[in-house]
Amino acid sequence: MYLFSTWGKKESSRLQMALRSLATRKTLTLGLNSRRLIQSRALQTFSLPDLPYDYGALEPAISGEIMQLHHQKHHQTYITNYNKALEQLHEAIQKGDSSTVVKLQSAIKFNGGGHINHSIFWQNLSPIREGGGEPPKGSLGWVIDTNFGSLEALIQKINAEGAALQGSGWVWLGLDKELKKLVIETTANQDPLVTKGPHLVPLLGIDVWEHAYYLQYKNVRPDYLKNIWKVINWKYASEVYEKESA
Amino acid sequence: MAAATSMVTSSSFTFPSQGLRLPTRSHPCMKPQRRFLRKYASNVITATYELKPPPYSLNALEPHMSRETLEYHWGKHHRTYVENLNKQVVGTDLEGLSLEDIITVTYNKGDILPAFNSAAQAWNHDFFWESMKPGGGGKPSGDLLDLIERDFGSFERFTEEFKSAAATQFGSGWAWLAYKANRLGVENAVNPWPSENDKKLVIVKSPNAVNPLVWDYFPLLTIDVWEHAFYLDFQNRRADYISMFMEKLVSWEAVNARLENAKAQAAEREMEEERMKNEEEWKPTDDDDDDDDDEGLEMYVDSDDDSEAE
């Protein structure tokens, strides 16, 4: 959840401010509207975060065409549907409509998960001239060598897991905060890493849904997995690791 | 392509074997040493599984589904499933089983075994190619249309529901029209008034490789909603792909033929069960039965009356 507040887009934080001032105004008027007050204060809408690089900047590892579709269509759709589901959830809670509340859970998990996962993914990638592909230094580099033997061994393992995943999903390098070690995990569909363990923090996720690579690599997912490491942003993964293992 | 002996050929029009009466280990076909076994089982020839081509050329569905899509979807994805299936089956107890039996066994009531994905996807794709035809679409007629109108209200409502199922299958998967012949699965209960009306058409969706055979339904029509099925032609626009499929590609002839087959198989199955039940009724009491009565139908009783007899 911390992701949304740290990356809250300009619009998102402006919206929040606007809602807060509206709420303040309403308290001054009428206590009877307290229900609507709660409603307007609680409901946050999400918006598409900008990519920190151009669509074409990750070529030839990932084509500009894929990046644009992936960001502007797929991720945007998750956000749109997530917002819609949250709004419906909000109404259902207010009305005490439990059956709708429960019915909405899968849409929230799917679309909310899609938003969470892709927001991380854009940070996991970086153009080569900005350090994409450079191996991790510092404590993350060291703990990878300790846990897996070498960076190459880690990559091989992640790629094997990613290639073997049936259907749609993600392959992750995560930190188990409780056990204090690195783990490789896969999740199905848009399930976030935390669904595999409440103490798991994602450092690096690779999208293995077909939409992430099909236009360029077609059915050869292993080639996509081999090439994506040229643009993996280890700096971000290191930052998260250092922060979460402090 | 010599597809005549391919198991995959016949699987499109055969339906689930009755219950799980699979060959036991003593059955000759289960001997592990024999490879490339040929045997007859209910007039179906088994062999190693072959990639059967669609019943039209790879460019025949243009402009709706491109040749490029067929080249990858059939030529790579489907082919890989069949190749993997053969690799996973050879030298195991699965060898020699029909594709549908492999699907049932490896589905393992949801706790799937490794060969399931390959087997089910091999079957699913065959079924998918045969669900389409050049110049397809339009409306069904006859019994099929009557049943659709009976079970969905109207053809339009059926279409809406089918498209919605296809659009809302999260992740990879399939949407299906299937024929469900109602059978109560409880051992000691009997549907008191079984009738034709209990059998109906249903729309279901399934994830990844799962198909309605595992629920003992008769599949009639399917659409592949894995992204590889539409990404080259439609990119993210899954809804457009689904509409195109309904309007331009569905082969109602194939669906019709499958429905007739399904009705016949359901009727046959019922007669078989009726026959077996009658045999049971007339059988003399076996020594190893407990002291239940053998007066025809076994009835479920609430309390154990024996205790009162003391």
Side-chain angles (χ1 to χ4, degrees):
Chain A
M1 274 325 213
Y2 67 92
L3 291 163
F4 306 118
S5 43
T6 41
W7 300 343
K9 279 272 298 153
K10 294 193 282 278
E11 282 97 311
S12 176
S13 48
R14 284 206 327 257
L15 175 64
Q16 273 183 294
M17 275 169 43
L19 287 170
R20 247 171 291 174
S21 65
L22 174 66
T24 321
R25 257 193 291 154
K26 287 208 165 191
T27 23
L28 296 178
T29 50
L30 212 34
L32 286 178
N33 277 338
S34 61
R35 252 181 147 218
R36 243 187 297 148
L37 175 68
I38 294 165
Q39 182 172 26
S40 56
R41 206 167 46 204
L43 191 60
Q44 175 184 8
T45 48
F46 298 94
S47 49
L48 188 64
D50 280 340
L51 291 193
Y53 38 79
D54 290 335
Y55 289 131
L58 303 181
E59 294 196 347
I62 305 179
S63 72
E65 188 189 14
I66 288 183
M67 288 305 293
Q68 181 164 9
L69 279 168
H70 205 172
H71 182 246
Q72 281 184 359
K73 304 287 179 187
H74 291 276
H75 189 176
Q76 178 62 68
T77 301
Y78 288 125
I79 289 172
T80 305
N81 290 340
Y82 182 42
N83 286 333
K84 202 161 53 172
L86 286 179
E87 199 183 303
Q88 291 170 338
L89 177 68
H90 199 77
E91 269 177 45
I93 291 175
Q94 301 248 293
K95 286 193 264 177
D97 178 0
S98 301
S99 109
T100 302
V101 169
V102 171
K103 197 174 64 157
L104 286 167
Q105 297 308 305
S106 65
I108 288 173
K109 182 182 189 191
F110 185 65
N111 292 295
H115 176 46
I116 293 171
N117 295 338
H118 286 87
S119 300
I120 298 171
F121 189 51
W122 310 135
Q123 302 287 308
N124 285 151
L125 304 169
S126 160
I128 295 174
R129 60 178 150 74
E130 285 169 36
E134 264 174 38
K137 306 175 187 62
S139 51
L140 179 57
W142 182 84
V143 80
I144 285 176
D145 287 345
T146 314
N147 281 188
F148 296 96
S150 65
L151 182 61
E152 289 67 40
L154 170 74
I155 289 176
Q156 262 194 15
K157 203 154 189 297
I158 291 179
N159 285 354
E161 295 280 336
L165 192 151
Q166 293 288 326
S168 310
W170 292 74
V171 59
W172 302 93
L173 174 65
L175 167 65
D176 187 324
K177 284 184 76 163
E178 196 177 65
L179 301 180
K180 297 203 188 340
K181 59 188 243 268
L182 296 183
V183 296
I184 297 174
E185 270 292 351
T186 56
T187 56
N189 298 335
Q190 292 300 347
D191 294 356
L193 181 59
V194 73
T195 58
K196 279 290 175 93
H199 308 287
L200 296 179
V201 173
L203 303 177
L204 213 159
I206 298 180
D207 191 348
V208 292
W209 279 65
E210 285 170 333
H211 65 237
Y213 60 87
Y214 206 79
L215 291 179
Q216 190 177 350
Y217 294 94
K218 310 294 191 311
N219 61 306
V220 196
R221 191 194 285 177
D223 280 357
Y224 159 68
L225 289 170
K226 208 165 51 141
N227 284 311
I228 197 173
W229 294 99
K230 302 182 183 145
V231 289
I232 287 289
N233 180 12
W234 282 108
K235 280 192 270 196
Y236 171 78
S238 291
E239 278 165 23
V240 178
Y241 176 74
E242 268 150 39
K243 173 158 165 262
E244 296 293 336
S245 54
Chain B
M1 174 153 288
T5 54
S6 144
M7 203 39 239
V8 171
T9 306
S10 45
S11 68
S12 327
F13 288 91
T14 57
F15 287 94
S17 47
Q18 287 194 23
L20 275 173
R21 267 177 252 142
L22 297 173
T24 59
R25 274 161 206 272
S26 56
H27 192 285
C29 89
M30 295 301 278
K31 292 223 173 70
Q33 299 313 319
R34 297 167 73 177
R35 298 159 69 104
F36 306 110
L37 197 67
R38 282 171 198 279
K39 67 175 273 291
Y40 283 85
S42 54
N43 75 358
V44 152
I45 301 171
T46 61
T48 51
Y49 314 97
E50 288 178 24
L51 176 67
K52 185 189 162 200
Y56 36 76
S57 60
L58 297 188
N59 64 353
L61 302 182
E62 296 221 342
H64 314 298
M65 187 178 280
S66 66
R67 179 177 52 84
E68 199 191 9
T69 292
L70 267 292
E71 277 173 355
Y72 282 101
H73 198 177
W74 173 78
K76 307 277 185 189
H77 292 271
H78 189 179
R79 187 184 303 277
T80 302
Y81 288 125
V82 174
E83 286 170 358
N84 287 345
L85 172 65
N86 283 325
K87 280 187 244 172
Q88 286 166 318
V89 156
V90 85
T92 72
D93 290 338
L94 295 173
E95 199 169 5
L97 292 187
S98 71
L99 193 53
E100 282 161 18
D101 283 348
I102 295 187
I103 289 171
T104 313
V105 169
T106 55
Y107 182 66
N108 198 25
K109 302 199 171 114
D111 187 16
I112 69 176
L113 304 172
F116 177 77
N117 281 316
S118 312
Q121 285 290 75
W123 191 96
N124 296 340
H125 283 88
D126 253 3
F127 196 80
F128 178 53
W129 306 131
E130 288 167 7
S131 296
M132 299 186 285
K133 66 168 202 182
K139 262 174 94 142
S141 55
D143 275 355
L144 176 56
L145 182 59
D146 289 342
L147 260 187
I148 285 178
E149 286 174 346
R150 186 196 76 175
D151 291 335
F152 298 103
S154 67
F155 178 68
E156 287 68 34
R157 283 189 58 190
F158 154 75
T159 303
E160 281 319 300
E161 214 181 293
F162 187 80
K163 284 171 37 168
S164 168
T168 57
Q169 172 51 39
F170 288 161
S172 311
W174 305 75
W176 305 83
L177 172 66
Y179 183 64
K180 183 180 175 199
N182 188 43
R183 300 161 76 220
L184 288 177
V186 185
E187 233 73 48
N188 54 1
V190 175
N191 183 345
W193 303 111
S195 74
E196 279 308 300
N197 290 330
D198 289 338
K199 306 197 188 78
K200 56 185 182 171
L201 297 177
V202 291
I203 289 173
V204 289
K205 55 191 181 191
S206 60
N208 297 345
V210 179
N211 63 37
L213 293 177
V214 308
W215 304 314
D216 209 23
Y217 295 174
F218 298 97
L220 302 179
L221 171 67
T222 194
I223 179 173
D224 188 350
V225 291
W226 282 63
E227 285 175 327
H228 63 238
F230 59 88
Y231 215 81
L232 295 179
D233 296 334
F234 289 91
Q235 294 80 58
N236 62 304
R237 293 170 290 121
R238 194 202 280 200
D240 288 349
Y241 158 68
I242 296 167
S243 295
M244 175 282 294
F245 174 86
M246 294 306 290
E247 287 161 28
K248 308 286 186 196
L249 293 181
V250 175
S251 166
W252 289 112
E253 286 81 7
V255 180
N256 216 18
R258 291 159 175 173
L259 176 64
E260 292 312 308
N261 224 311
K263 289 199 281 195
Q265 295 234 342
E268 212 179 277
R269 190 195 278 191
E270 265 178 16
M271 276 175 11
E272 180 68 24
E273 282 172 3
E274 200 52 44
R275 190 181 62 76
M276 287 190 48
K277 200 159 55 113
N278 291 336
E279 276 180 12
E280 291 275 326
E281 287 176 12
W282 286 102
K283 230 181 353 185
T285 323
D286 285 0
D287 284 339
D288 55 346
D289 276 357
D290 57 22
D291 48 9
D292 273 352
D293 56 352
D294 66 336
E295 41 189 51
L297 283 178
E298 298 211 1
M299 303 293 284
Y300 176 72
V301 290
D302 261 338
S303 55
D304 187 355
D305 285 324
D306 288 343
S307 58
E308 288 179 25
E310 298 312 310

